[in-house]
Amino acid sequence: MKKVGVLVSGRGSNLQTLIATAREGQLGGEVAVVISNVADAPALDKARAAGVPALVCDHRGQAREEHDRRMLGVLREHGVDLVCLAGYMRLLSSPFLAAWPHRLVNIHPSLLPAFPGLDAQRQAWEHGVKVAGATVHLVEEALDAGPIVMQEAVAVRADDTPDTLAGRILEAEHRIYPRAVRLLLGGRWRLEGRRFIADPE
Ligand code: GRF
Protein backbone atom coordinates (compact mmCIF):
# COMPACT_ATOMS: atom_id res chain seq x y z
CA MET A 1 0.00 0.00 0.00
CA LYS A 2 1.48 3.36 -1.04
CA LYS A 3 1.60 5.95 1.74
CA VAL A 4 0.72 9.61 1.51
CA GLY A 5 1.75 12.28 4.01
CA VAL A 6 -0.26 15.50 4.08
CA LEU A 7 0.98 18.89 5.33
CA VAL A 8 -1.71 21.32 6.47
CA SER A 9 -2.12 24.63 8.27
CA GLY A 10 -5.86 25.26 8.37
CA ARG A 11 -9.32 24.01 7.48
CA GLY A 12 -8.42 20.66 5.94
CA SER A 13 -11.21 20.13 3.42
CA ASN A 14 -8.79 18.82 0.77
CA LEU A 15 -7.24 16.57 3.40
CA GLN A 16 -10.69 15.24 4.24
CA THR A 17 -11.35 14.48 0.58
CA LEU A 18 -8.05 12.63 0.26
CA ILE A 19 -8.81 10.57 3.37
CA ALA A 20 -12.34 9.78 2.18
CA THR A 21 -11.12 8.77 -1.28
CA ALA A 22 -8.47 6.53 0.26
CA ARG A 23 -11.09 4.89 2.49
CA GLU A 24 -13.17 4.14 -0.58
CA GLY A 25 -10.14 2.42 -2.08
CA GLN A 26 -9.93 4.99 -4.87
CA LEU A 27 -6.69 6.83 -4.02
CA GLY A 28 -4.25 4.03 -4.80
CA GLY A 29 -2.80 4.42 -1.32
CA GLU A 30 -3.57 5.53 2.21
CA VAL A 31 -3.11 8.78 4.12
CA ALA A 32 -0.48 7.60 6.59
CA VAL A 33 0.23 10.79 8.51
CA VAL A 34 -0.85 14.43 8.71
CA ILE A 35 1.44 17.22 9.96
CA SER A 36 0.24 20.70 10.84
CA ASN A 37 2.46 23.65 11.70
CA VAL A 38 -0.54 25.22 13.47
CA ALA A 39 -1.59 23.57 16.73
CA ASP A 40 -5.30 24.41 16.52
CA ALA A 41 -5.80 23.77 12.80
CA PRO A 42 -9.25 22.22 12.19
CA ALA A 43 -7.50 19.86 9.77
CA LEU A 44 -6.00 18.03 12.76
CA ASP A 45 -9.45 17.25 14.15
CA LYS A 46 -10.57 15.96 10.76
CA ALA A 47 -7.56 13.63 10.57
CA ARG A 48 -8.01 12.37 14.12
CA ALA A 49 -11.74 11.82 13.64
CA ALA A 50 -10.81 9.58 10.72
CA GLY A 51 -8.22 7.73 12.80
CA VAL A 52 -5.25 9.09 10.86
CA PRO A 53 -2.10 9.93 12.89
CA ALA A 54 -1.92 13.73 13.12
CA LEU A 55 1.01 15.63 14.59
CA VAL A 56 1.84 19.24 15.26
CA CYS A 57 5.26 20.53 14.21
CA ASP A 58 5.17 24.11 15.44
CA HIS A 59 7.43 26.27 13.31
CA ARG A 60 7.62 29.17 15.75
CA GLY A 61 11.04 29.99 17.13
CA GLN A 62 12.77 27.60 14.75
CA ALA A 63 14.86 28.10 11.66
CA ARG A 64 12.97 26.93 8.56
CA GLU A 65 15.48 24.18 7.82
CA GLU A 66 15.28 22.84 11.35
CA HIS A 67 11.50 22.78 11.27
CA ASP A 68 11.49 21.09 7.88
CA ARG A 69 14.03 18.53 9.10
CA ARG A 70 11.64 17.53 11.88
CA MET A 71 8.80 17.13 9.40
CA LEU A 72 11.05 15.10 7.12
CA GLY A 73 11.85 12.77 10.02
CA VAL A 74 8.15 12.21 10.75
CA LEU A 75 7.32 11.57 7.09
CA ARG A 76 10.17 9.07 6.78
CA GLU A 77 9.16 7.31 10.02
CA HIS A 78 5.77 6.73 8.43
CA GLY A 79 7.29 5.44 5.19
CA VAL A 80 5.68 8.14 3.09
CA ASP A 81 5.93 7.80 -0.72
CA LEU A 82 4.22 11.05 -1.71
CA VAL A 83 3.82 14.34 0.19
CA CYS A 84 0.71 16.41 -0.45
CA LEU A 85 0.47 20.06 0.54
CA ALA A 86 -3.14 20.86 1.36
CA GLY A 87 -3.37 24.42 2.55
CA TYR A 88 0.13 24.32 4.05
CA MET A 89 0.90 28.01 4.47
CA ARG A 90 4.70 28.07 4.69
CA LEU A 91 7.51 28.01 2.20
CA LEU A 92 9.60 24.85 2.29
CA SER A 93 13.40 24.83 2.52
CA SER A 94 15.63 23.56 -0.27
CA PRO A 95 16.76 20.42 1.60
CA PHE A 96 13.12 19.43 2.19
CA LEU A 97 12.27 19.97 -1.48
CA ALA A 98 15.33 17.99 -2.56
CA ALA A 99 14.20 15.04 -0.42
CA TRP A 100 11.04 14.54 -2.54
CA PRO A 101 11.97 14.88 -6.21
CA HIS A 102 8.69 14.67 -8.13
CA ARG A 103 7.06 13.29 -4.99
CA LEU A 104 5.78 16.55 -3.56
CA VAL A 105 2.54 18.00 -4.84
CA ASN A 106 0.38 21.04 -4.13
CA ILE A 107 -3.12 22.25 -4.89
CA HIS A 108 -3.62 25.90 -5.76
CA PRO A 109 -6.94 27.70 -6.28
CA SER A 110 -6.23 29.26 -9.68
CA LEU A 111 -5.39 28.19 -13.19
CA LEU A 112 -1.61 28.54 -12.86
CA PRO A 113 0.51 30.25 -13.99
CA ALA A 114 -2.16 32.92 -13.46
CA PHE A 115 -2.56 34.24 -9.93
CA PRO A 116 0.11 32.51 -7.87
CA GLY A 117 0.47 33.39 -4.20
CA LEU A 118 -2.10 34.28 -1.59
CA ASP A 119 -5.82 34.85 -2.10
CA ALA A 120 -5.76 33.58 -5.67
CA GLN A 121 -9.54 33.40 -6.01
CA ARG A 122 -9.91 37.08 -5.09
CA GLN A 123 -7.04 38.00 -7.41
CA ALA A 124 -8.85 36.26 -10.28
CA TRP A 125 -12.21 37.84 -9.41
CA GLU A 126 -10.68 41.33 -9.15
CA HIS A 127 -8.85 40.87 -12.44
CA GLY A 128 -12.18 40.08 -14.07
CA VAL A 129 -11.30 36.75 -15.64
CA LYS A 130 -14.20 34.80 -17.15
CA VAL A 131 -12.61 31.43 -16.38
CA ALA A 132 -10.97 30.64 -13.05
CA GLY A 133 -10.11 27.22 -11.64
CA ALA A 134 -7.79 24.97 -9.68
CA THR A 135 -4.38 23.43 -10.34
CA VAL A 136 -2.51 20.45 -8.94
CA HIS A 137 1.22 20.81 -9.57
CA LEU A 138 4.52 19.28 -8.58
CA VAL A 139 6.40 21.48 -6.14
CA GLU A 140 9.71 23.04 -7.07
CA GLU A 141 11.75 25.90 -5.63
CA ALA A 142 9.78 28.67 -7.29
CA LEU A 143 6.41 29.39 -5.67
CA ASP A 144 3.38 27.78 -7.37
CA ALA A 145 5.45 27.08 -10.47
CA GLY A 146 6.21 23.34 -10.82
CA PRO A 147 4.92 21.08 -13.63
CA ILE A 148 1.13 21.00 -13.87
CA VAL A 149 -0.42 17.60 -13.14
CA MET A 150 -4.10 18.47 -13.48
CA GLN A 151 -6.39 21.49 -13.78
CA GLU A 152 -10.11 22.14 -13.74
CA ALA A 153 -11.68 25.31 -15.08
CA VAL A 154 -14.51 27.09 -13.28
CA ALA A 155 -16.64 29.64 -15.14
CA VAL A 156 -16.96 33.00 -13.38
CA ARG A 157 -20.54 34.26 -13.13
CA ALA A 158 -21.56 37.89 -13.33
CA ASP A 159 -23.04 37.74 -9.84
CA ASP A 160 -20.09 35.96 -8.24
CA THR A 161 -18.39 37.38 -5.18
CA PRO A 162 -14.86 36.25 -4.27
CA ASP A 163 -16.51 33.88 -1.78
CA THR A 164 -18.99 32.26 -4.14
CA LEU A 165 -16.26 31.84 -6.73
CA ALA A 166 -13.91 30.35 -4.11
CA GLY A 167 -16.65 27.91 -3.12
CA ARG A 168 -16.99 26.52 -6.65
CA ILE A 169 -13.20 26.44 -7.08
CA LEU A 170 -13.00 24.42 -3.85
CA GLU A 171 -15.46 21.89 -5.29
CA ALA A 172 -13.16 21.58 -8.32
CA GLU A 173 -10.17 21.14 -5.98
CA HIS A 174 -11.93 18.27 -4.26
CA ARG A 175 -12.49 16.58 -7.62
CA ILE A 176 -8.98 16.92 -9.04
CA TYR A 177 -6.73 16.48 -6.01
CA PRO A 178 -7.67 12.84 -5.32
CA ARG A 179 -7.52 12.03 -9.04
CA ALA A 180 -4.09 13.65 -9.38
CA VAL A 181 -2.76 11.82 -6.31
CA ARG A 182 -4.03 8.52 -7.68
CA LEU A 183 -2.31 9.25 -10.98
CA LEU A 184 0.96 10.16 -9.28
CA LEU A 185 0.92 7.09 -7.03
CA GLY A 186 0.13 4.87 -9.99
CA GLY A 187 3.38 5.96 -11.62
CA ARG A 188 2.06 5.84 -15.19
CA TRP A 189 3.33 9.30 -16.13
CA ARG A 190 6.49 11.10 -17.16
CA LEU A 191 7.89 14.58 -17.50
CA GLU A 192 9.01 16.03 -20.81
CA GLY A 193 10.70 19.25 -19.81
CA ARG A 194 8.10 20.81 -17.58
CA ARG A 195 5.23 19.05 -19.33
CA PHE A 196 3.57 16.34 -17.24
CA ILE A 197 2.36 13.54 -19.50
CA ALA A 198 0.03 10.85 -18.22
CA ASP A 199 -0.02 7.51 -20.04
CA PRO A 200 -3.31 6.77 -21.77
CA GLU A 201 -5.62 4.80 -19.45
C1 GRF B 1 -7.28 25.52 -0.80
O1 GRF B 1 -7.99 26.52 -1.47
C2 GRF B 1 -6.00 25.20 -1.51
O2 GRF B 1 -6.10 25.30 -2.90
C3 GRF B 1 -5.06 26.23 -0.97
O3 GRF B 1 -5.41 26.36 0.38
C4 GRF B 1 -6.78 26.00 0.55
C5 GRF B 1 -6.82 24.92 1.59
O4 GRF B 1 -8.13 24.58 1.94
N1 GRF B 1 -3.69 25.85 -1.19
P1 GRF B 1 -8.40 23.30 2.83
O5 GRF B 1 -7.55 23.49 4.10
O6 GRF B 1 -7.98 22.10 2.06
O7 GRF B 1 -9.86 23.32 3.14
Side-chain angles (χ1 to χ4, degrees), residues 134 157 169:
R157 298 175 186 157
I169 292 174

Side-chain angles (χ1 to χ4, degrees), residues 20-196:
T21 308
R23 289 280 151 85
E24 290 160 9
Q26 297 300 315
L27 196 68
E30 63 175 352
V31 178
V33 65
V34 173
I35 304 175
S36 172
N37 65 315
V38 177
D40 60 356
L44 288 167
D45 301 328
K46 292 185 169 96
R48 289 174 185 146
V52 175
L55 288 92
V56 177
C57 283
D58 196 335
H59 63 275
R60 288 172 302 179
Q62 281 189 45
R64 190 181 304 279
E65 286 201 13
E66 178 53 31
H67 174 249
D68 286 1
R69 201 168 16 247
R70 278 174 54 221
M71 294 200 300
L72 191 55
V74 171
L75 293 165
R76 285 192 170 139
E77 264 169 39
H78 285 81
V80 162
D81 300 289
L82 179 75
V83 180
C84 294
L85 307 181
Y88 182 70
M89 297 303 287
R90 280 178 61 79
L91 295 174
L92 292 160
S93 58
S94 300
F96 187 93
L97 296 176
W100 308 98
H102 303 155
R103 295 193 298 144
L104 177 58
V105 65
N106 183 40
I107 180 123
H108 183 77
S110 78
L111 291 178
L112 290 171
F115 311 119
L118 290 176
D119 225 352
Q121 307 95 323
R122 177 177 286 277
Q123 290 185 53
W125 180 85
E126 282 177 353
H127 192 90
V129 297
K130 303 301 183 201
V131 181
T135 302
V136 178
H137 65 93
L138 299 178
V139 177
E140 295 184 343
E141 289 274 350
L143 182 67
D144 297 333
I148 291 169
V149 177
M150 207 171 276
Q151 293 184 303
E152 184 174 322
V154 174
V156 181
R157 298 175 186 157
D159 62 352
D160 264 330
T161 64
D163 282 350
T164 60
L165 179 59
R168 290 204 310 291
I169 292 174
L170 192 62
E171 290 171 13
E173 294 182 37
H174 295 167
R175 282 189 290 272
I176 63 173
Y177 211 3
R179 283 176 44 215
V181 169
R182 182 188 173 97
L183 176 58
L184 287 163
L185 289 175
R188 295 171 58 86
W189 57 274
R190 66 187 189 281
L191 287 175
E192 288 183 7
R194 55 163 294 121
R195 293 190 316 127
F196 179 97

